[in-house]
């Protein structure tokens, strides 16, 4: 319902960012290419260090492997402490967008500048209960704001409904202060939640389980998600 509602109110451009966290890593290149053929706009890569979040996933080598597999933008979500120590390595590996968590970087302003100076787009991510005020202050330095709609660390979790209100606040600030900044939502996005997230203000939808382990094949899953998101 919500998706239909938003489609009537305002035409929206929604980008779909499959998260490789839910893919078959034994066939990573194939899975990325399948997502690209199916119309994915961006490839989302979740980097976890076992400290900022409980889980450990991947490093720059896998970003490099994705870079070889596709020309789509690589959207690298750093769930690591002191991300400033690794920003350069991920940029060199081929990240187009580098997103750091506000909770993980003490000198955030400097970290965001470091990302841009390294030639990547700078993103800022917030956990579900982190006060939003930091986004308002950081907006001039941002190309992307990511609101996590689950507690980050694992795929396959349920969307936290309070994220919708947070998306609305960020959308308003973004429209006023930096219209170029994209708004991304990450966690629990599927055909039941995508429409509401877009109606609330999200433009870039990260989806892991619903794309790679969804009801159908990757192509059908991405198509279903896009329809649910745009009311098409
Ligand atoms: C969660 C990650 C997400 C994750 C989303 O910590 O940041 O990108 O892959 O997975 P789903 O879509 O399964 O919730
Ligand atoms: Zn992510």
């Amino acid at each position: 319902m919500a998706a239909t509602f938003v489609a009537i109110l305002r035409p929206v451009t929604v980008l779909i960012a499959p998260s490789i966290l839910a893919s078959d890593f034994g066939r990573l290149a194939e899975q990325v290419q399948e997502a690209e053929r199916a119309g994915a706009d961006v490839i989302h890569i979740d980097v976890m260090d076992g400290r900022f979040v409980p889980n450990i996933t991947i490093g720059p080598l896998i970003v490099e492997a994705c870079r070889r597999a596709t020309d789509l933008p690589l959207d690298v979500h750093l769930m690591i402490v002191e991300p400033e120590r690794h920003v350069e390595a991920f940029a060199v590996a081929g990240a187009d967008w580098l997103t750091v968590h506000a909770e993980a970087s003490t000198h955030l302003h400097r970290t965001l500048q470091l990302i841009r100076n390294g030639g990547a787009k700078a993103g800022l991510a917030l956990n579900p209960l982190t006060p939003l005020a930091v986004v308002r202050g950081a907006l001039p330095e941002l190309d992307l704001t990511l609101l996590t709609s689950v507690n980050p660390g694992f795929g396959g979790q349920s969307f936290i409904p309070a994220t919708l209100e947070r998306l609305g606040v960020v959308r308003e600030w973004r429209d006023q202060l930096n219209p170029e900044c994209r708004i991304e939502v990450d966690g629990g996005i599927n055909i039941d939640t995508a429409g509401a997230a877009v109606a609330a203000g999200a433009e870039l939808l990260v989806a892991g389980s619903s794309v790679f382990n969804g009801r159908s094949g990757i192509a059908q899953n991405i198509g279903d998600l896009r329809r649910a998101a745009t009311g098409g």
Side-chain angles (χ1 to χ4, degrees), residues 19 21 44-48 75-79 101 125 146 148 152-153 184-187 206-207:
S19 164
L21 188 62
H44 186 83
I45 304 177
D46 287 308
V47 176
M48 306 184 187
D75 171 30
V76 178
H77 179 188
L78 298 179
M79 286 163 274
H101 269 262
L146 184 161
T148 59
E184 181 169 36
V185 66
D186 184 359
V206 177

